[in-house]
Amino acid sequence: MTNWNLEEVYKNEEEWNKDFSSFQGLVKNIVSFEGKLNNLEAIEEYLAYEEKISKLISKLYSYSHMKFDQNQKDLKSQELVNKVIKVIYELQSLSAFHNDEFLALGYEKFEEYAKKSKIIKENLFNIKMLFDGRKHILSPVCEQIVSNFGPVTNAFGNLYAALQNSDFEPIDVSLTDGSKVKVSPNNYTSILASLKKQEDRKAVFEAQYSYYDKHKNTLSSIYKGVVDANIANMKTRGYDNILASFLDGEKIPTDVYTSLIQTARENTAPLKRYIKIRQKYFNLPEYHTYDRMLSFSNAKVAYPYEKAYTDVLKALEPMGDDFVAHAKEALKDGHVDVFPTEAKRSGAYSTRIEGYGPYILLNHTDDLESAFTLAHECGHSIHTLYTIESQPFATQDYRIFVAEIPSTLNEQLFLDYLLKNSNNKELKLQAVCKAVDNIVSTFYRQTLFADFEYQAHTKAINGEELNYEVLSNIMANLYKEYYGIDLETEPLKKLVWAYIPHMYYSPFYVYQYATCFSASMKIYEEIKNNKPNAMKNYLNMLKAGASLYPVDVVKLSGVDLTSKEPFEAVCNKLNELLDSLEDLIKQK
């Protein structure tokens, strides 16, 4: 089965509506706890009640959102998503009282209760986070007002999704050989990778980005709405700066973010070296961003899903039988939606439904990149399984800061598998290029986007206008600094801020790809070199869930992301790989 089997969750809409009705009733009744959270028994009852609601949210929201992602023209599924979101906002408003009532007791009282109560003990770290962040918690009335505005501030992501996915019609592009291709966000990069002539690549690039050019005023207005909402939240909750408003809740030092950007900026020489190698090898008078998908290898590596599935599992064998068993569970029938279809959400992700485990969305196009994506998302789902098995419900949802470590580590395992199991020089070349491109795309490119977000928000905070020209100029300057590429020769590329969905859905998220990649590289090297307890430490990290602050969860694996060392190691690794790349090129 290559589609999700969502009937195992709800056989029909009637079953969904029954749970939704229960959900609505539970939410409305939560006010019955108000004014009573002052003793052990009442708090136990409240936490159990809250957990029951949270489990229903997981089931109702994930199911309806997944149905919608399978077909974003399915207005009925979208309606179900919006119904759940509306009640979630109502819940946030009606339950705002519990923060003040918990804080009135004092944390020491909860520590005392935790010695007597299982459910309070399970929730103790979440309660600690509440106390740690109390400076930014508002009065119940103000929290209710903020909650009431939630649907408004979150509407910008929905507007972007509609414009990027639902309203996007594939664009016909005529190639120099007389053939035509249909270009969309789902297949854009794979088409670029298949085209030998720069003229054809330019045509495909301009077709895709002409859509953003056509809607640049709308897209910049949507992004400005995202930024304004973020700044409003920063001011409302009394944060000193925009980074703190996103990082302080999980006690991630802002130095992690700024140090990452600074380290990447100070170490752009390997990245620019790679661009020069590419330009020389492909004999390009001018190098453009749409040339980035050109492969050094002539090997035709087709990766049907069945082969990718088998090879990913083989690649994970060095991690042990238990790890592989978790991977098989993650990739079982009915839990992976494999192939692209009309109006399906672009990209890939792993999610979960309470009581049914993880699910993976792919857009597999039978190429090597798709195989790596499978390995990546499988890493997320393995992480989910270990966390579910090891943590109570209250601390099962591991933080984003940690999430990309197991996914990118899985990719490194898959790369090593390809290198070790082929005598084909072309395939080895392709694998080394993949390792290089992983660093370029995951470390440098995501840091560049993180740099963009920080600059855009800073400009808005300083009262500067955020129109498409301002956003495009920020991006042009960053491409010049990081890559050494002058976007004046391809001005449409300045609109790349309109192409990256995370900018709209998850602000200040993408930097974590770079931090996680840096951590995963170090962890994997220690496992690969049989460092004592390396695998044990890694599993401890996977099992920790959200039981600690995320920087401390990562420290369980032996990596300290508050230092520059992991980031500098990635930059040095790129230089080593470029040496290997040049050696392999000479052997051709």
Side-chain angles (χ1 to χ4, degrees):
M1 178 183 292
T2 56
N3 299 105
W4 285 328
N5 178 21
L6 294 180
E7 289 187 1
E8 67 181 359
V9 184
Y10 291 113
K11 289 186 173 61
N12 49 51
E13 191 177 335
E14 183 180 353
E15 287 189 359
W16 189 93
N17 284 328
K18 184 177 179 181
D19 265 0
F20 182 73
S21 179
S22 297
F23 172 48
Q24 287 178 300
L26 288 168
V27 168
K28 290 185 183 303
N29 192 52
I30 202 165
V31 294
S32 65
F33 290 92
E34 189 169 1
K36 300 176 183 177
L37 301 181
N38 53 16
N39 61 77
L40 186 150
E41 292 76 16
I43 291 169
E44 280 186 315
E45 186 180 352
Y46 177 79
L47 291 175
Y49 193 89
E50 189 179 54
E51 182 171 308
K52 186 175 182 179
I53 291 175
S54 296
K55 287 179 176 179
L56 271 176
I57 290 173
S58 171
K59 192 177 177 185
L60 289 163
Y61 177 79
S62 296
Y63 169 87
S64 54
H65 200 285
M66 289 163 67
K67 286 277 286 183
F68 179 59
D69 284 349
Q70 284 181 308
N71 177 10
Q72 295 197 333
K73 291 184 178 180
D74 180 3
L75 299 182
K76 183 61 181 178
S77 293
Q78 185 179 37
E79 180 186 341
L80 298 184
V81 172
N82 291 335
K83 285 174 68 174
V84 178
I85 291 174
K86 183 179 179 181
V87 181
I88 289 173
Y89 287 132
E90 183 182 359
L91 171 65
Q92 292 172 347
S93 176
L94 294 177
S95 64
F97 65 87
H98 90 269
N99 286 340
D100 271 5
E101 295 189 30
F102 277 17
L103 290 170
L105 281 175
Y107 184 65
E108 295 78 10
K109 180 63 69 174
F110 283 97
E111 289 182 303
E112 176 188 327
Y113 287 164
K115 296 174 183 177
K116 306 172 185 177
S117 167
K118 179 175 179 289
I119 194 165
I120 294 177
K121 182 179 179 181
E122 290 174 350
N123 281 272
L124 189 60
F125 181 70
N126 292 332
I127 293 168
K128 180 182 186 301
M129 291 180 69
L130 172 67
F131 278 87
D132 288 346
R134 58 188 160 188
K135 176 183 176 182
H136 305 291
I137 296 172
L138 309 175
S139 69
V141 172
C142 290
E143 286 289 352
Q144 184 170 355
I145 292 170
V146 170
S147 178
N148 289 341
F149 277 94
V152 179
T153 57
N154 284 285
F156 300 109
N158 295 331
L159 286 171
Y160 178 79
L163 196 60
Q164 170 77 330
N165 298 311
S166 304
D167 291 345
F168 192 101
E169 295 292 338
I171 301 169
D172 286 321
V173 179
S174 297
L175 304 178
T176 54
D177 64 0
S179 63
K180 290 186 177 182
V181 292
K182 286 185 177 292
V183 179
S184 71
N186 279 353
N187 65 9
Y188 167 66
T189 56
S190 61
I191 290 176
L192 281 182
S194 70
L195 298 174
K196 303 298 182 186
K197 293 185 177 181
Q198 192 179 51
E199 184 180 349
D200 288 335
R201 295 192 296 276
K202 181 181 180 182
V204 168
F205 159 74
E206 290 184 345
Q208 177 69 39
Y209 275 75
S210 67
Y211 183 78
Y212 306 128
D213 189 44
K214 179 181 179 181
H215 298 288
K216 60 191 175 187
N217 286 298
T218 301
L219 285 161
S220 62
S221 295
I222 293 172
Y223 187 66
K224 183 179 184 299
V226 172
V227 172
D228 287 346
N230 294 338
I231 293 172
N233 179 70
M234 177 194 77
K235 292 179 178 178
T236 300
R237 296 197 175 279
Y239 287 103
D240 294 332
N241 59 76
I242 194 66
L243 289 181
S245 72
F246 280 90
L247 306 185
D248 183 66
E250 295 183 343
K251 295 296 177 280
I252 298 169
T254 57
D255 287 349
V256 171
Y257 197 103
T258 55
S259 177
L260 169 67
I261 290 174
Q262 183 182 351
T263 305
R265 283 173 172 261
E266 291 171 352
N267 291 273
T268 60
L271 180 58
K272 291 169 182 173
R273 176 189 171 192
Y274 180 48
I275 297 297
K276 289 179 180 178
I277 291 171
R278 291 183 64 81
Q279 184 174 1
K280 180 180 178 181
Y281 181 83
F282 294 112
N283 193 28
L284 298 171
E286 284 189 358
Y287 186 87
H288 295 284
T289 60
Y290 46 77
D291 298 322
R292 71 185 177 91
M293 303 303 297
L294 283 174
S295 175
F296 286 87
S297 170
N298 294 320
K300 299 294 183 182
V301 180
Y303 250 102
Y305 178 72
E306 294 77 9
K307 177 175 173 55
Y309 171 89
T310 300
D311 286 356
V312 165
L313 292 179
K314 287 180 179 177
L316 301 183
E317 288 177 0
M319 305 293 278
D321 293 342
D322 184 66
F323 198 87
V324 173
H326 281 74
K328 289 179 178 177
E329 175 68 15
L331 300 178
K332 68 182 181 182
D333 279 356
H335 281 241
V336 185
D337 201 279
V338 179
F339 299 111
T341 54
E342 184 181 356
K344 181 178 177 180
R345 174 175 167 154
S346 60
Y349 65 73
S350 169
T351 188
R352 79 177 178 104
I353 298 179
E354 169 60 23
Y356 297 88
Y359 293 79
I360 293 172
L361 180 137
L362 302 172
N363 278 281
H364 195 92
T365 51
D366 289 353
D367 57 11
L368 184 60
E369 186 65 31
S370 294
F372 273 98
T373 299
L374 176 63
H376 182 103
E377 300 304 336
C378 180
H380 285 308
S381 289
I382 290 169
H383 191 184
T384 297
L385 288 167
Y386 273 116
T387 301
I388 289 172
E389 293 168 3
S390 306
Q391 294 293 325
F393 180 81
T395 52
Q396 284 179 1
D397 288 334
Y398 50 81
R399 309 303 185 194
I400 292 172
F401 188 79
V402 184
E404 298 300 337
I405 294 176
S407 57
T408 53
L409 192 145
N410 262 25
E411 289 190 63
Q412 293 180 68
L413 282 160
F414 189 55
L415 276 166
D416 268 7
Y417 174 81
L418 293 178
L419 287 171
K420 290 177 182 177
N421 290 277
S422 175
N423 294 319
N424 186 319
K425 290 182 180 179
E426 290 291 313
L427 183 58
K428 286 186 176 181
L429 176 60
Q430 202 168 30
V432 169
C433 289
K434 176 62 184 176
V436 170
D437 287 336
N438 270 352
I439 293 177
V440 172
S441 62
T442 308
F443 182 79
Y444 283 104
R445 190 167 185 258
Q446 300 302 339
T447 303
L448 183 153
F449 292 145
D451 203 337
F452 170 87
E453 286 188 283
Y454 190 31
Q455 288 192 42
H457 282 75
T458 301
K459 283 183 179 294
I461 289 169
N462 291 336
E464 296 181 46
E465 184 61 36
L466 281 190
N467 54 42
Y468 77 87
E469 288 183 336
V470 172
L471 297 175
S472 296
N473 286 336
I474 296 173
M475 197 61 78
N477 291 334
L478 287 171
Y479 265 72
K480 184 69 173 177
E481 182 167 0
Y482 280 70
Y483 293 97
I485 294 175
D486 186 356
L487 292 188
E488 292 304 321
T489 63
E490 47 177 314
L492 287 177
K493 186 65 178 184
K494 296 178 185 179
L495 297 168
V496 68
W497 52 265
Y499 174 72
I500 307 300
H502 279 125
M503 301 281 194
Y504 300 83
Y505 301 147
S506 307
F508 292 95
Y509 174 99
V510 295
Y511 86 97
Q512 293 166 112
Y513 283 113
T515 55
C516 288
F517 183 80
S518 303
S520 72
M521 181 172 286
K522 184 171 183 182
I523 293 167
Y524 179 52
E525 287 302 316
E526 292 182 349
I527 293 172
K528 185 178 176 181
N529 295 328
N530 296 313
K531 182 177 178 179
N533 296 319
M535 187 65 194
K536 179 182 177 182
N537 291 342
Y538 179 52
L539 290 178
N540 285 340
M541 188 201 82
L542 296 184
K543 294 174 181 178
S547 62
L548 299 166
Y549 281 115
V551 169
D552 295 325
V553 171
V554 177
K555 283 181 180 178
L556 293 175
S557 70
V559 175
D560 183 1
L561 286 172
T562 62
S563 72
K564 276 189 172 184
E565 184 183 353
F567 309 139
E568 290 172 339
V570 176
C571 302
N572 294 334
K573 181 66 173 179
L574 178 55
N575 260 330
E576 292 176 17
L577 286 167
L578 292 178
D579 290 340
S580 298
L581 174 60
E582 290 186 315
D583 287 342
L584 286 165
I585 289 172
K586 290 175 183 176
Q587 296 174 29
K588 284 176 69 69

